[in-house]
Amino acid sequence: MTFFSSFLGYLTFNKLNKSNNKKKIIFFSESKNYRNYLIGLIKSLEEEKKSNLSIIYLTSDKNDIDQISDDIKPIYIGTGFFMALLFYLIDCDILVMTLTDLNNHKIKKSKFCKNYIYLFHSLVSVHKTYTHEAFKNYDIILCNGEYQKKELRYCEKFFNFKKKKLFNTGYLYLEHLYNNKKLKVDNNKILFAPSWNKSPRNLFDDYAEKILDILLDKNYNITLRTHPETLKRSTKNLEKIRKKNLKNINFILNTDLENLNSLNDSSLLITDNGGIALEYIVVHRKPVIYIDYSEKIHNKFFDKLELETIEDKFKKEIGTTIDISKLNQIEFYITEAKRNFANKLNVVDKLILEHGLITKNQSRNSKEVIIKLLD
């Protein structure tokens, strides 16, 4: 069934793509959870109302086919043969993706696509949690701010990569979070959002169940918010946690990242290495506890790059850190994190300014870059 649906999507795309002579902008989403990283830019481009502009949205997720607007209906292309074939032959002016390592896996660059644009799905730096070739094969990158631009230029020189066009446009998802922010906080609610890690030694698989047991035993209301990769890589452990806490009224499992209630309602975030900590601090201005266990380093050359990451800077100057061996003292750390955070709010603004992080008009900035590229 999936093979047939993917084939129909392939045919639908080819028919739609060849039916006009407009400038073509293609957006690709790996799953529904990535839609919100793209949607602001899509709607901003639609407002342009250029008669010579055609926008097509491709998705690999059957749950991501809800109509975006009157003119844009997502096309499902699956993850297999027809997806790979479509991308290999795709003909367009611009292809926008949040997918890293382009050309290094089954999605290859097409000689018929003029510009490949990458936009970020995290606020983290480019040289630690991403592979060293993650952005190598893109033509254009829309950066979250000056810090990423500097990091990418540094890496281009270090690895002798071809220089790309880099634009400081801002983190599109940040705009989405600001627009959906609600000032409603429950002091007893805690958000637990461990990051994903390619390493088999990771916080979710090794300690998530224990951490949840400790917090629930202390009568906190806990929301476990999963990373999209956790849903794919840790299904057995996730199902075990779900079944174990099925009847616990103090536990919520949040696998749908469109649901932002846990970010709005919670009084504190517990994580390890996730980019969600930056979003939580910058947008919601609430404390974060970092559990020290396993570093998330996906760049094998990271120790040779003499660049501090934005996530480590925020962790060191704003976060509260607890060693994995001290989980039984977590209630004390929660109290301390909340007590100390009020004195760190001015540091948040200092770090935003220091890193050149763009916090306004991200969709408009990104749209202006694309329109200029098409002219």
Side-chain angles (χ1 to χ4, degrees):
M1 183 57 127
T2 301
F3 182 84
F4 181 67
S5 298
S6 181
F7 174 59
L8 286 179
Y10 177 80
L11 294 178
T12 301
F13 169 78
N14 283 328
K15 182 179 179 181
L16 180 62
N17 203 35
K18 293 175 181 177
S19 64
N20 60 67
N21 295 316
K22 297 179 180 181
K23 297 281 188 178
K24 297 179 179 66
I25 303 176
I26 315 289
F27 287 84
F28 171 62
S29 173
E30 300 165 66
S31 77
K32 187 177 181 180
N33 282 324
Y34 290 95
R35 180 185 280 219
N36 284 329
Y37 299 98
L38 304 167
I39 199 73
L41 176 54
I42 292 172
K43 290 186 175 179
S44 186
L45 284 166
E46 277 201 295
E47 290 170 3
E48 193 69 16
K49 297 188 187 308
K50 283 204 167 190
S51 58
N52 66 333
L53 192 64
S54 173
I55 300 173
I56 298 175
Y57 183 95
L58 302 175
T59 181
S60 286
D61 186 354
K62 278 196 168 184
N63 296 314
D64 188 28
I65 58 173
D66 296 336
Q67 195 96 9
I68 292 174
S69 68
D70 291 340
D71 298 321
I72 303 176
K73 178 174 174 56
I75 299 173
Y76 172 75
I77 56 167
T79 59
F81 171 77
F82 289 110
M83 180 199 73
L85 180 63
L86 185 153
F87 279 112
Y88 186 68
L89 299 173
I90 200 165
D91 183 358
C92 59
D93 294 278
I94 288 175
L95 178 53
V96 182
M97 295 193 284
T98 63
L99 178 78
T100 56
D101 290 291
L102 173 67
N103 226 43
N104 296 332
H105 43 55
K106 59 186 173 183
I107 294 185
K108 306 297 183 184
K109 293 184 75 171
S110 165
K111 62 182 179 181
F112 307 111
C113 181
K114 295 175 184 174
N115 293 290
Y116 282 84
I117 295 183
Y118 179 83
L119 57 85
F120 285 91
H121 57 268
S122 175
L123 279 171
V124 299
S125 288
V126 307
H127 57 288
K128 184 177 183 180
T129 63
Y130 298 103
T131 68
H132 77 287
E133 291 191 337
F135 315 105
K136 175 185 176 181
N137 296 310
Y138 277 93
D139 305 302
I140 298 156
I141 298 181
L142 304 184
C143 302
N144 296 336
E146 186 62 21
Y147 69 101
Q148 287 184 331
K149 190 174 183 180
K150 288 180 179 178
E151 292 161 359
L152 286 164
R153 289 290 182 232
Y154 180 96
C155 291
E156 284 174 346
K157 187 175 180 180
F158 186 92
F159 295 111
N160 197 28
F161 291 158
K162 181 181 177 182
K163 287 188 75 171
K164 288 164 280 294
K165 293 179 182 177
L166 306 179
F167 299 93
N168 287 336
T169 54
Y171 183 40
L172 283 160
Y173 188 60
L174 205 65
E175 190 174 63
H176 176 73
L177 292 176
Y178 275 122
N179 290 339
N180 289 277
K181 179 180 176 180
K182 294 180 175 62
L183 298 175
K184 178 186 176 185
V185 178
D186 184 330
N187 199 48
N188 200 47
K189 284 189 176 181
I190 291 176
L191 173 59
F192 178 40
S195 65
W196 78 278
N197 200 321
K198 289 182 180 179
S199 170
R201 183 177 183 269
N202 63 82
L203 186 69
F204 180 82
D205 288 324
D206 297 344
Y207 281 99
E209 184 180 0
K210 180 178 179 179
I211 291 166
L212 288 167
D213 286 347
I214 292 171
L215 292 169
L216 290 167
D217 187 57
K218 296 183 182 300
N219 294 317
Y220 287 108
N221 292 322
I222 308 298
T223 296
L224 170 61
R225 186 173 173 89
T226 53
H227 190 282
E229 290 296 323
T230 302
L231 297 177
K232 294 188 283 186
R233 297 167 184 264
S234 303
T235 52
K236 288 184 179 179
N237 286 332
L238 184 59
E239 183 60 15
K240 182 181 178 183
I241 288 170
R242 188 191 69 80
K243 285 183 176 179
K244 184 176 184 177
N245 297 289
L246 196 62
K247 296 182 180 179
N248 192 328
I249 60 172
N250 289 332
F251 175 77
I252 296 173
L253 177 59
N254 177 197
T255 59
D256 179 5
L257 298 194
E258 287 189 79
N259 183 342
L260 301 177
N261 290 338
S262 59
L263 289 122
N264 287 318
D265 296 349
S266 57
S267 61
L268 176 137
L269 166 68
I270 299 175
T271 186
D272 50 343
N273 303 301
I276 190 174
L278 295 173
E279 298 166 4
Y280 198 76
I281 291 171
V282 170
V283 176
H284 295 279
R285 304 295 171 117
K286 292 185 284 192
V288 174
I289 288 179
Y290 294 86
I291 297 177
D292 264 351
Y293 176 54
S294 177
E295 284 267 42
K296 185 177 178 179
I297 302 174
H298 293 163
N299 184 347
K300 61 185 179 181
F301 299 103
F302 175 68
D303 61 344
K304 295 179 173 62
L305 300 171
E306 298 176 354
L307 281 176
E308 185 175 28
T309 65
I310 190 173
E311 60 267 31
D312 288 337
K313 188 79 170 175
F314 268 73
K315 178 180 179 179
K316 182 171 65 179
E317 296 201 19
I318 297 172
T320 297
T321 302
I322 176 174
D323 187 83
I324 194 69
S325 63
K326 297 182 178 179
L327 287 178
N328 288 327
Q329 300 175 39
I330 199 165
E331 192 168 26
F332 166 79
Y333 283 92
I334 289 171
T335 302
E336 283 296 291
K338 289 180 177 180
R339 184 174 64 84
N340 295 330
F341 186 73
N343 297 323
K344 298 179 180 180
L345 286 172
N346 64 320
V347 182
V348 177
D349 293 318
K350 177 180 79 74
L351 291 179
I352 289 172
L353 186 64
E354 180 182 307
H355 289 83
L357 175 61
I358 296 168
T359 59
K360 294 181 180 178
N361 302 318
Q362 294 94 321
S363 293
R364 188 183 71 188
N365 296 339
S366 302
K367 177 189 71 174
E368 288 175 355
V369 169
I370 288 178
I371 295 301
K372 285 180 181 178
L373 290 170
L374 292 173
D375 288 341

